[in-house]
Amino acid sequence: MPIRVMILNGPNLNQLGTREPHIYGKVTLPAIEASCRQFAESIGASLAFHQSNDEGALIEWVQAARREADAIIINPAGLSFTSVALVDALAAFPGPVIELHISNIHARDPLHRHSRISAVAKVVICGLGAYGYIVALLSAARLLNGLPKTLPAPLRIGPK
Ligand code: DHK
């Protein structure tokens, strides 16, 4: 059975490509989704990919992931810094949660520095731009012991 990964994207990420490109780059969310789908297929993973500007919708997907996914990759965007409800939903998910930010939030202004989500994340990836999504997928597959044996051995090092 293929590993099942759910990628969630929070508020304003539907505007990637034109939104503050000096911070978030020029790659659009549909382009990111297409790359993720291609990469997931290449490693034999199944992928659900969602975006919403609505906190409640994201929480519904996290709850559904308890039945439908083995790992969650989430870019909570602005909700990183405010949403206790999203933290609570993610805390109830039994598999690995990978928190992802396109920018390096640690080098940002005080409003964008302290993610509440990190407290319930197994992994935090930030600052890699759109490429962070691919690294996150690779990480999810590795954490679930789901990387194909045909990949070069260094890619299968660890995680412990
Ligand atoms: C995206 C956002 O929308 C911001 O609110 C976060 C994150 C950073 C990102 O880098 O992907 O602070």
Side-chain angles (χ1 to χ4, degrees):
M1 171 138 154
I3 60 159
R4 303 166 304 164
V5 182
M6 184 181 283
I7 299 184
L8 297 176
N9 294 280
N12 301 305
L13 292 171
N14 54 321
Q15 299 201 312
L16 285 177
T18 54
R19 168 196 182 208
E20 296 182 278
H22 56 291
I23 299 176
Y24 301 110
K26 292 183 181 163
V27 185
T28 64
L29 196 62
I32 289 173
E33 178 174 358
S35 290
C36 287
R37 292 208 176 280
Q38 221 180 331
F39 186 68
E41 195 182 333
S42 77
I43 60 170
S46 84
L47 180 66
F49 191 101
H50 303 293
Q51 187 276 331
S52 181
N53 295 326
D54 175 18
E55 182 177 11
L58 292 161
I59 290 169
E60 297 283 353
W61 281 319
V62 171
Q63 291 181 3
R66 293 174 65 177
R67 299 179 305 277
E68 298 169 8
D70 304 307
I72 294 176
I73 295 168
I74 183 164
N75 184 342
L79 295 172
S80 310
F81 317 102
T82 59
S83 182
V84 175
L86 197 50
V87 169
D88 289 344
L90 289 165
F93 180 73
V97 172
I98 298 176
E99 178 185 356
L100 169 66
H101 304 274
I102 290 167
S103 61
N104 176 4
I105 59 168
H106 305 292
R108 302 271 313 261
D109 58 285
L111 255 189
H112 292 91
R113 235 175 253 168
H114 300 290
S115 169
R116 291 175 186 259
I117 306 297
S118 302
V120 290
K122 183 163 180 69
V123 175
V124 181
I125 296 168
C126 70
L128 271 174
Y131 193 64
Y133 284 81
I134 301 303
V135 173
L137 266 173
L138 198 57
S139 310
R142 183 65 191 102
L143 288 168
L144 296 168
N145 210 16
L147 280 178
K149 302 276 181 284
T150 47
L151 286 179
L155 286 178
R156 289 183 282 110
I157 192 171
K160 295 192 181 85

